[in-house]
Amino acid sequence: MLSRMLKGAAAGAAGTTALNAVTYLDMAVRGRPTSSTPEDTVEKLADRANVTIPGEEDTRNNRVAGLGPLLGLVAGVAAGAAYGALTALTGTPKLRTGILVTGLSALLVGNAPMTVLGITDPLQWNTEAWLSDIVPHVAYGVVTAAAYDAMT
């Protein structure tokens, strides 16, 4: 199981890189701004946990700006590790099933906490917002499942 989880974590890291690359490419092509939701999530989580993020204004803001993307990286690696654990229990699925499972998992892991915290409401998103979210998660699924498949 541990071997599969480690392979899944590595595959999740590769998938997270693909997700980030697609997101940054979208920003560069369309000239859209970065999302504030990662930083908003850090702020809400710190508030709910009654944890103070240290530093004066600029230093604190820089920490929050670093912690937001770091949360995304942790989520992507964790989703990959969970996929590895799942395959240890159920067997490795066909690649297309793996893409669907990992892509949907990343979508859920990425959006559920922000939805529960009231940072975003996917029911209020327009088509453009959905595409900006789904396309990078599809890239995550493709790369994570393919990398995992190659390692196993």
Side-chain angles (χ1 to χ4, degrees), residues 8 78-88 92-94 97-99 101-102 144-145 148:
Y83 179 68
L86 178 67
T87 67
T92 304
K94 292 185 179 192
T97 303
I99 291 169
V101 169
T102 57
T144 300
Y148 185 81

Side-chain angles (χ1 to χ4, degrees), residues 72-85:
L73 179 60
V74 169
V77 171
Y83 179 68

